[in-house]
């Protein structure tokens, strides 16, 4: 039976017994040796969701700091152990043993300032963590014995992190990594603006092949008639981490980005390594398993957005570092998941890490490809002096979070505009950020149209003003021409497909691709303005609401593809719902965070089918066909002139669908769930299909929702397929 520690103290005082400091009630619960084991286990199993600093991410709450202590104050330590056991069991192999959870609990307590003793903690440890009347533990010196920063606002770095002062230092360290002796590629043609606008059929030069983001290839050697003959051409093991990469292919050379900011040049026909470059990022700069979704190629160099909020340029022939430019201070949480694109000779890229409050906020930048010089910086948060400053309801500028750019943009050279999506305001729930859904919080959850030479915001369209359920519309922007008119289409986590006039940002139409119960119906197709359900709009901190879809989408980073012959969009969707609760955050610079917790639930009427692939006619937004299955689709979609749509799933299947009918024409089972973005290219007249495998933070959800599907840890690789000779 647990009792209030405050009551114990008052009783002891009443009887004249000298009371011990509050932290002694939790002191001695664990040994220093156990804490050390727990640190190693935490770093092995938990950093993707809770971060190496224990400060939390969008997929796991913070395990250190005032918010954590306020939640666990006055509760028995074994309740915390059980919480860690329940929430992290999907990432810890069953064969590890139950003791690992006690070890990790010891590490969490140590990181929050509790002193070690001479015994190991067990599941029977019922000692209270801290007083319920607000007295908390006496903190140990910052990072002492833990290797973490206990002051969440300090901006410090972990022990062992190195500060880089120039490209030469980074290059010297990178050259010492590994024993592979780098070679040079054969002579490569210069990648010009014209080549990016009109790439050869054989190449894959942009994130989604072309600057319009369509992910459509005119190659047709592999088609509906012969696809059943596809066989493995070659495969290559990749670094561990969240493998959401997009290979680029130019003149028969594949440029492959691994997790951990490793870049390789590979013979695209044989899989033979030519060179590699390992960027030596500080360990704590890697978040969410370290996805790097794309890189860019221009002239004779590759451009990579790194974990530690920098841009680097590499020589395409040798892999040598040409320059490095710091965009932001990674110790404040800034990082990259999306890579850059090239638009009108400018490197355009966004940034992540804006869930924590900071004066600088989130932004888009333009850089010179020759020197790395920053040319302009455009804030994705309306600040004082901006005409939309009032959309933040009077919130202080340094307390305006969100507006991250998770996915690379698209570019229209005729309009000379870059189109990017921004994420929602943070914390996720309006009440948690001290606002209501009536405050739009611009320019979050929006499509932005930006001039690439100047960074000027030409127009914006906000998809869901005052967003409050992590239902961002921050994913791919696909540019299509229909009946001679230019449109932009995108799909958000809510499963709503948007159609805008890309010249002006004017709303044209939208369609619900999944059953959603977040917004009042019918949706207003005159203005495109959505209105929340009343209970969602009025939800306060601590209130739980039920909603469909869940924070995993709907739609997520797994990008759609467009078929220009049929005018159809092929969209991968996820069929789950959730319970969502807003939490309190600290309103100080360095505070903030996601401020929300969710529990995933089955989607009613889906019959356990988690995956859906839907074909939509973009002329009238009608659904042409849908394929549903138990396993989620976890790759972007690839579409080809051979009449095929390629996509990979959780159950390790790579599938080819007939684009017109939705029939499965071919499938192959690989070594791990498929992840990232499939591409196609040709070398010496032969077509290849490439797809990455691996897993990421989605496993936190899929391991619970689909325990009947084997989901091995690791298995990062790239598989390349060909037709028989």
């Amino acid at each position: 039976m647990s009792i209030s520690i405050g009551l114990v103290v008052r009783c002891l005082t009443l009887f004249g017994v000298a009371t011990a400091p509050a932290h002694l009630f939790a002191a001695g619960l664990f040994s220093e040796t156990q804490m050390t084991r727990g640190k190693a286990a935490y770093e092995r199993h938990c950093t993707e969701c809770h971060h190496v600093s224990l400060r939390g991410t969008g997929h796991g709450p913070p395990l250190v700091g005032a918010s954590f202590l306020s939640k666990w104050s006055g509760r028995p330590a074994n309740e915390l152990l059980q919480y860690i056991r329940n929430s992290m069991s999907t990432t810890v192999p069953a064969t590890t043993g139950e003791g690992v959870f006690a070890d990790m609990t010891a590490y969490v307590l140590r990181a929050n300032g509790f002193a070690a003793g001479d015994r190991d903690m067990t599941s029977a440890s019922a000692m209270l963590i801290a007083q319920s009347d607000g007295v908390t533990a006496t903190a140990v010196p910052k990072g002492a014995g833990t290797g973490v920063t206990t002051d969440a606002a300090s901006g410090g770095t972990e022990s062992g992190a190195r500060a880089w002062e120039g490209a030469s230092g980074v290059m010297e360290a990178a050259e010492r990594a590994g024993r592979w002796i780098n070679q040079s590629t054969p002579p490569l043609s210069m990648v010009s603006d014209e080549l990016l606008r009109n790439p050869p059929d054989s190449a894959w030069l942009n994130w989604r092949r072309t600057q319009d983001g369509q992910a459509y290839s005119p190659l047709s050697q592999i088609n509906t008639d012969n696809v059943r003959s596809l066989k493995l051409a070659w495969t290559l093991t990749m670094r561990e981490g969240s493998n959401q990469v997009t290979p680029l292919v130019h003149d028969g050379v594949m440029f492959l980005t691994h997790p951990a900011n490793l870049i390789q040049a590979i013979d695209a026909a044989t899989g033979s390594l030519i060179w590699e470059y390992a960027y030596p990022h500080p360990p704590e700069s890697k978040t969410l398993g370290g996805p790097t979704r794309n890189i860019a190629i221009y002239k004779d160099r590759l451009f990579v957005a790194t974990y530690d909020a920098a841009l680097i340029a590499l020589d395409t022939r040798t892999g040598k570092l040409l320059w490095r430019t710091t965009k932001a201070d990674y110790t404040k949480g800034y990082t990259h998941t999306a890579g850059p694109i090239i638009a009108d000779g400018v490197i355009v890229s966004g940034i992540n890490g804006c869930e924590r409050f900071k004066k600088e906020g989130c932004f888009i930048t333009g850089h010179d490809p020759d020197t790395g010089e920053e040319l302009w910086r455009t804030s994705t948060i309306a600040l004082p002096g901006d005409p939309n400053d009032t959309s933040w309801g009077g919130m202080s500028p340094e307390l305006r979070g969100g507006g991250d750019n998770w996915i690379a943009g698209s570019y229209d050279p005729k309009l000379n505009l870059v189109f990017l999506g921004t994420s929602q305001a943070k914390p996720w729930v309006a009440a948690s950020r001290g606002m209501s859904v009536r405050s739009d919080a611009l320019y979050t959850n929006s499509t932005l149209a930006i001039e690439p030479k100047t960074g000027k915001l030409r127009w914006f369209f906000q998809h869901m003003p005052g967003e409050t359920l992590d239902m961002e519309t921050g994913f791919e922007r696909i540019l299509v021409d229909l009946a001679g008119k230019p449109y932009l289409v995108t799909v958000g986590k809510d499963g709503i497909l948007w159609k805008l006039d890309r010249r002006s940002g004017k709303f044209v139409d939208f369609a619900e691709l999944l059953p959603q119960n977040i917004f009042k119906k019918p949706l207003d197709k005159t203005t495109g303005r959505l209105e929340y359900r009343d209970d969602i709009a009025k939800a306060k901190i601590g209130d739980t609401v039920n909603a469909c879809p869940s924070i995993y989408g709907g739609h997520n980073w797994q990008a759609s593809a467009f078929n220009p012959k049929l005018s159809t969009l092929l969209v991968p969707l996820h069929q789950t719902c959730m319970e969502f609760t807003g939490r309190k955050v600290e309103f100080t610079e360095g505070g903030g965070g996601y401020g929300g917790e969710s529990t995933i639930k089955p989607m009613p009427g889906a019959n356990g089918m988690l995956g859906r692939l839907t074909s939509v006619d973009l002329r009238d937004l009608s659904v042409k066909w849908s394929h549903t299955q138990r396993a989620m689709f976890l790759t972007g979609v690839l579409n080809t002139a051979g009449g095929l749509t390629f996509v990979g799933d959780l159950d390790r299947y790579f599938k080819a669908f007939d684009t017109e009918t939705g029939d499965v024409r071919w499938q192959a089972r690989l070594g791990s769930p498929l992840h990232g973005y499939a591409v196609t290219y040709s070398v010496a007249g032969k077509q290849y299909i490439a797809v990455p495998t691996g897993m990421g933070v989605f496993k936190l959800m899929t391991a619970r929702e689909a325990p009947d599907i084997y989901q091995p840890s690791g298995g990062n690789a790239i598989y390349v397929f060909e037709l028989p000779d």
Side-chain angles (χ1 to χ4, degrees):
M1 179 178 72
S2 64
I3 58 176
S4 166
I5 192 167
L7 178 60
V8 171
V9 173
R10 287 191 289 273
C11 290
L12 292 174
T13 303
L14 181 65
F15 286 99
V17 178
T19 58
H23 71 281
L24 293 184
F25 284 95
L29 264 176
F30 55 89
S31 68
E32 197 73 22
T33 300
Q34 184 180 33
M35 186 284 299
T36 302
R37 294 198 306 267
K39 180 177 185 293
Y42 176 89
E43 291 177 348
R44 184 162 56 251
H45 302 301
C46 310
T47 55
E48 284 194 12
C49 300
H50 298 275
H51 198 259
V52 70
S53 68
L54 289 84
R55 289 172 57 182
T57 72
H59 296 273
L63 300 175
V64 69
S67 175
F68 173 84
L69 287 171
S70 67
K71 179 175 180 177
W72 291 99
S73 175
R75 296 169 68 176
N78 55 7
E79 283 191 14
L80 174 60
L81 190 158
Q82 190 60 33
Y83 169 77
I84 290 175
R85 166 68 177 82
N86 291 340
S87 63
M88 299 182 183
S89 60
T90 58
T91 62
V92 179
T95 55
T96 305
E98 290 295 310
V100 69
F101 301 107
D103 294 347
M104 288 194 291
T105 305
Y107 174 53
V108 169
L109 290 173
R110 185 75 169 99
N112 281 278
F114 295 101
D118 57 2
R119 56 178 176 168
D120 281 0
M121 180 182 182
T122 71
S123 59
S125 301
M127 189 175 290
L128 303 183
I129 292 173
Q131 285 201 45
S132 59
D133 55 7
V135 181
T136 58
T138 301
V140 297
K142 183 172 68 176
T146 66
V148 301
T149 297
T150 56
D151 180 359
S154 69
T157 63
E158 284 193 347
S159 174
R162 177 175 176 180
W164 302 106
E165 296 187 1
S168 60
V170 179
M171 183 166 62
E172 289 167 4
E175 288 174 345
R176 292 194 296 269
R179 296 185 178 182
W180 169 259
I181 300 175
N182 281 346
Q183 312 296 315
S184 296
T185 71
L188 300 174
S189 58
M190 293 284 280
V191 178
S192 63
D193 291 286
E194 176 58 30
L195 202 65
L196 289 176
R197 282 194 293 270
N198 298 292
D201 293 356
S202 60
W204 195 281
L205 298 182
N206 294 277
W207 171 53
R208 303 297 284 155
R209 187 179 177 274
T210 45
Q211 292 177 315
D212 52 24
Q214 293 183 4
Y216 172 80
S217 171
L219 294 176
S220 59
Q221 186 179 90
I222 299 170
N223 53 56
T224 53
D225 293 330
N226 60 22
V227 67
R228 292 189 183 277
S229 300
L230 274 186
K231 67 183 185 70
L232 187 66
W234 58 267
T235 187
L236 180 68
T237 299
M238 298 178 66
R239 288 272 187 100
E240 290 306 308
S242 187
N243 201 20
Q244 299 177 21
V245 304
T246 309
L248 297 184
V249 182
H250 174 51
D251 286 353
V253 176
M254 175 183 289
F255 298 102
L256 182 64
T257 307
H258 295 234
N261 284 169
L262 173 72
I263 300 92
Q264 293 179 328
I266 302 164
D267 185 316
T270 66
S272 297
L273 181 63
I274 301 170
W275 60 253
E276 67 177 20
Y277 173 84
Y279 178 75
H281 61 279
E284 66 273 25
S285 65
K286 178 181 177 181
T287 61
L288 297 176
T292 298
R293 294 182 174 129
N294 70 287
I295 57 177
I297 186 170
Y298 185 54
K299 297 183 177 178
D300 59 350
R301 53 197 61 189
L302 298 171
F303 303 97
V304 184
T306 67
Y307 293 159
D308 58 346
L311 281 177
I312 62 172
L314 304 178
D315 185 297
T316 54
R317 289 207 62 198
T318 65
K320 289 183 178 180
L321 183 69
L322 300 176
W323 53 252
R324 176 184 182 274
T325 296
T326 300
K327 287 175 57 177
D329 184 352
Y330 80 88
T331 67
K332 294 184 177 181
Y334 284 114
T335 190
H336 289 113
T337 59
I341 63 167
I342 305 298
D344 198 18
V346 176
I347 309 168
V348 179
S349 62
I351 204 154
N352 298 109
C354 300
E355 65 276 4
R356 293 284 170 183
F357 298 141
K358 36 190 168 275
K359 293 178 182 178
E360 301 91 334
C362 251
F363 50 83
I364 310 294
T365 56
H367 285 77
D368 185 302
D370 294 324
T371 66
E373 176 190 1
E374 184 174 309
L375 304 175
W376 51 262
R377 178 170 296 214
T378 299
S379 177
T380 59
I381 301 295
L383 299 171
D386 187 291
N388 292 299
D389 172 42
T390 57
S391 68
W392 284 86
M395 183 63 65
S396 299
E398 67 274 12
L399 301 180
R400 301 178 185 183
D404 307 66
N405 174 234
W406 292 97
I407 297 290
S410 299
Y411 174 56
D412 183 338
K414 291 183 179 178
L415 295 176
N416 198 24
L417 289 176
V418 175
F419 303 95
L420 302 106
T422 59
S423 71
Q424 70 290 83
K426 298 187 179 68
W428 285 330
V429 176
S432 297
R433 56 181 181 262
M435 299 169 66
S436 77
V437 297
R438 291 184 295 277
S439 295
D440 292 354
L442 290 166
Y443 299 95
T444 64
N445 214 28
S446 299
T447 295
L448 308 182
I450 295 175
E451 295 178 358
K453 287 291 190 186
T454 66
K456 179 182 178 181
L457 181 62
R458 184 84 64 82
W459 60 255
F460 72 90
F461 180 88
Q462 190 171 42
H463 298 273
M464 184 58 236
E467 205 288 311
T468 193
L469 284 181
D470 186 23
M471 287 291 114
E472 63 187 317
T473 308
F475 307 115
E476 70 278 9
R477 265 59 187 168
I478 300 178
L479 313 182
V480 300
D481 292 337
L482 302 169
K485 294 183 179 180
Y487 298 102
L488 177 150
V489 295
T490 189
V491 184
K493 281 188 179 179
D494 49 26
I496 294 177
L497 168 63
W498 296 82
K499 184 177 180 181
L500 306 177
D501 185 322
R502 70 173 183 266
R503 296 167 296 189
S504 62
K506 181 181 178 181
F507 169 76
V508 177
D509 200 359
F510 52 23
E512 299 167 87
L513 302 185
L514 285 172
Q516 65 82 18
N517 61 8
I518 297 169
F519 308 114
K520 291 182 177 179
K521 297 184 180 182
L523 303 186
D524 187 345
K525 290 205 170 192
T526 302
T527 65
R529 183 86 176 189
L530 301 176
E531 186 177 355
Y532 279 112
R533 241 171 46 204
D534 288 340
D535 62 319
I536 294 175
K538 296 175 182 177
K540 297 180 176 61
I541 294 174
D543 290 349
T544 298
V545 298
N546 291 282
C548 296
S550 77
I551 65 168
Y552 290 91
H555 183 62
N556 209 292
W557 58 261
Q558 296 88 359
S560 308
F562 176 68
N563 184 286
K565 294 181 179 178
L566 301 174
S567 297
T568 53
L569 188 71
L570 292 309
V571 188
L573 299 162
H574 312 312
Q575 300 190 129
T576 59
C577 299
M578 66 176 174
E579 292 179 347
F580 197 84
T581 307
R583 297 301 184 194
K584 186 177 181 180
V585 302
E586 295 178 79
F587 279 89
T588 59
E589 192 170 350
Y594 296 100
E597 296 178 4
S598 66
T599 301
I600 307 303
K601 303 288 185 181
M603 178 173 280
N607 298 317
M609 302 293 106
L610 298 175
R612 176 187 288 265
L613 182 65
T614 293
S615 173
V616 184
D617 190 323
L618 290 184
R619 290 167 292 194
D620 59 7
L621 302 192
S622 61
V623 172
K624 308 308 291 183
W625 55 260
S626 283
H627 172 92
T628 60
Q629 59 178 49
R630 176 66 171 152
M632 276 189 171
F633 293 107
L634 293 180
T635 72
V637 177
L638 165 65
N639 193 247
T640 75
L644 296 169
T645 294
F646 292 89
V647 65
D649 69 28
L650 175 69
D651 205 17
R652 300 182 284 132
Y653 281 106
F654 190 32
K655 296 183 177 182
F657 290 83
D658 186 308
T659 302
E660 190 164 4
T661 66
D663 296 333
V664 177
R665 291 300 187 101
W666 169 85
Q667 63 181 23
R669 205 169 203 186
L670 308 184
S672 186
L674 285 87
H675 224 229
Y677 301 92
V679 305
T680 187
Y681 58 90
S682 66
V683 180
K686 186 169 190 174
Q687 184 181 358
Y688 299 86
I689 309 285
V691 66
T693 61
M695 203 52 183
V697 294
F698 263 64
K699 191 176 182 183
L700 287 171
M701 180 267 293
T702 57
R704 291 179 182 275
E705 299 304 305
D708 52 308
I709 297 176
Y710 175 54
Q711 301 166 44
S713 298
N716 284 9
I718 185 162
Y719 290 80
V720 179
F721 294 88
E722 64 181 357
L723 291 172
D725 292 328

